[in-house]
Amino acid sequence: MRFFLPQDITALGGHVDQVLELAGKRRWLARADELDREKSISSYRWKIVADYHWLEMAIAHQYDVLTKVGQLAEAHADTLTRAAVNFAGTVVEVHRRSSPKGQKQLEGRLRDALNATTGFAALFLEMDLAQRLIDQGCDVEFPDLEGRANYDLAFSREDFIGEVECKSLSADAGRQIHRKDFYRFVDALRPAIERRSAGATGDLVLITLAGRLSSAQDKQAILLRAAEEVLGGKTPANRKDQLFRVERYTVKEVLGTSVRTSEEVQSRCTARFGPNLHIAGALTAPGEGCLVVMRSEKEDDTSTPQLEAMRKAASQFSGKRPAFIAMQCHGVELGDLLSPRPVRRQGEPTKATSLPATA
């Protein structure tokens, strides 16, 4: 199949309602309402929604604009809007050209993505790559959707035929501290952070884990209580357990009084405490406020999940023609995923920037 999406976002607007219909409009809008309530709880919950579920929210918002205004306006099309609407257009056009079996599979993947903790990341990669190939003059098929093969895309141009398997890896894969778990932990610590931020003395709390940060709230309870005590100003300023250490510093001794930006905070903390830090909190004035910094003594291993994904992908190809693995690590700049799409040599990996989570 081959199709071309209009570049004008007003013309693309008609695809928004159609993609909602494919997934189930009531289901999509209910999920968006749920996420909207989640992000309004705190800035830390907002960060989770923004990192993992931006596409669901962006498409729901554009549907709301269409309902109230009647069309999408190019002047209001920011980066997120264009990415979301392009995705909607590609999905609708692929669905229109698929067999009944392929259509049913695609509708199921849309519904599954609405409930996935990682959102639409995997489907977004597949649809975006298909559109990139079409933009380069290729015909594209979806053999996995159609049940004809185990790889995602088949593409051809003149006499060349290739296969592509898409693998979308979370930026958390292989890491001891996952962004979502960290922000939920800090959100539970928020009352203590806010109380401490109101004081004249700036505090920086360093939490060092022996291993992985658990995603279970009951397993975080002891750590949370220790952090609350340290933030509460109780003495001693440090707490130690078999699984963690909590230490209190002043903001001035770690950052000085000239730091203004999150990049400077990241740089100073990395110089003092090492790489792979997660940082949250706020500076209310130079040397004042409250920051929480978390690290693990156990080294991250991001290579193992990548190798496992590549082995899995390699086993899914037919072995009869050239094959390519398209791997995306979350943390890729959103601009890299949008039109005008960058032209890369076949098989050249997308540049991935996997930065520590910083509020």
Side-chain angles (χ1 to χ4, degrees):
M1 67 179 70
R2 190 189 298 187
F3 54 85
F4 297 96
L5 296 178
Q7 294 299 305
D8 180 63
I9 200 161
T10 303
L12 275 169
H15 293 91
V16 171
D17 184 72
Q18 294 176 58
V19 80
L20 293 184
E21 292 289 352
L22 295 180
K25 186 180 294 185
R26 290 180 60 182
R27 181 184 289 107
W28 192 300
L29 297 179
R31 177 59 171 157
D33 287 342
E34 178 186 347
L35 292 170
D36 189 61
R37 290 190 295 270
E38 174 82 5
K39 73 181 180 63
S40 63
I41 294 173
S42 72
S43 59
Y44 306 113
R45 298 294 185 96
W46 176 91
K47 178 67 172 165
I48 293 172
V49 174
D51 280 356
Y52 294 87
H53 303 290
W54 63 269
L55 191 141
E56 299 96 298
M57 297 298 289
I59 288 181
H61 176 68
Q62 294 313 308
Y63 173 75
D64 190 51
V65 171
L66 284 167
T67 302
K68 293 176 180 177
V69 181
Q71 66 178 22
L72 303 183
E74 191 71 36
H76 300 145
D78 60 11
T79 304
L80 285 176
T81 299
R82 186 166 291 283
V85 175
N86 277 337
F87 170 80
T90 303
V91 169
V92 169
E93 295 301 330
V94 169
H95 184 273
R96 186 173 292 159
R97 291 163 175 79
S98 298
S99 70
K101 181 176 182 177
Q103 290 177 344
K104 186 175 180 180
Q105 288 292 323
L106 183 53
E107 291 164 16
R109 290 192 61 186
L110 287 169
R111 290 191 292 269
D112 290 344
L114 278 176
N115 297 319
T117 57
T118 53
F120 279 80
L123 187 57
F124 184 95
L125 173 61
E126 188 175 330
M127 293 295 147
D128 180 75
L129 184 56
Q131 187 60 56
R132 290 175 190 249
L133 289 167
I134 290 171
D135 288 349
Q136 296 302 312
C138 297
D139 285 299
V140 174
E141 300 297 333
F142 293 79
D144 187 37
L145 279 181
E146 298 289 356
R148 298 196 303 264
N150 293 322
Y151 53 89
D152 292 320
L153 303 174
F155 68 97
S156 59
R157 181 176 174 180
E158 297 177 350
D159 295 332
F160 185 86
I161 301 175
E163 302 171 2
V164 182
E165 174 60 23
C166 300
K167 295 297 181 186
S168 179
L169 294 181
S170 168
D172 296 327
R175 300 189 184 276
Q176 301 302 316
I177 302 169
H178 292 189
R179 290 178 302 175
K180 186 178 292 188
D181 299 332
F182 171 71
Y183 283 116
R184 284 185 174 148
F185 174 83
V186 175
D187 184 55
L189 196 58
R190 178 165 46 96
I193 294 173
E194 291 174 349
R195 285 193 298 270
R196 205 64 185 172
S197 296
T201 302
D203 287 319
L204 185 150
V205 173
L206 174 66
I207 300 173
T208 304
L209 305 175
R212 182 174 175 271
L213 175 65
S214 174
S215 60
Q217 289 185 339
D218 58 332
K219 294 184 178 179
Q220 292 182 3
I222 298 174
L223 175 60
L224 180 63
R225 187 160 53 249
E228 287 172 336
E229 290 175 355
V230 171
L231 276 172
K234 294 184 178 181
T235 55
N238 302 332
R239 294 287 187 277
K240 189 174 182 179
D241 183 87
Q242 190 176 10
L243 299 177
F244 61 80
R245 297 194 314 274
V246 183
E247 306 164 82
R248 187 171 71 236
Y249 299 82
T250 66
V251 171
K252 289 181 181 178
E253 72 177 293
V254 177
L255 304 181
T257 58
S258 61
V259 169
R260 304 272 181 187
T261 67
S262 61
E263 290 79 10
E264 290 175 318
V265 171
Q266 185 78 43
S267 177
R268 295 284 180 90
C269 287
T270 299
R272 180 68 179 267
F273 304 123
N276 299 324
L277 302 176
H278 292 249
I279 306 171
L283 297 178
T284 55
E288 298 179 12
C290 184
L291 294 176
V292 176
V293 180
M294 186 178 288
R295 64 183 180 180
S296 175
E297 292 179 333
K298 190 174 181 180
E299 194 172 336
D300 289 342
D301 179 14
T302 58
S303 62
T304 296
Q306 292 177 11
L307 288 172
E308 290 175 351
M310 292 174 71
R311 288 193 191 100
K312 175 79 182 303
S315 71
Q316 294 173 250
F317 295 121
S318 69
K320 299 177 180 179
R321 55 184 67 91
F324 304 84
I325 300 171
M327 184 174 294
Q328 174 191 316
C329 295
H330 302 187
V332 173
E333 290 295 324
L334 187 58
D336 287 345
L337 304 177
L338 305 180
S339 297
R341 295 178 174 84
V343 178
R344 300 186 178 89
R345 289 179 287 111
Q346 293 293 342
E348 182 178 355
T350 300
K351 178 183 177 182
T353 305
S354 188
L355 295 175
T358 303

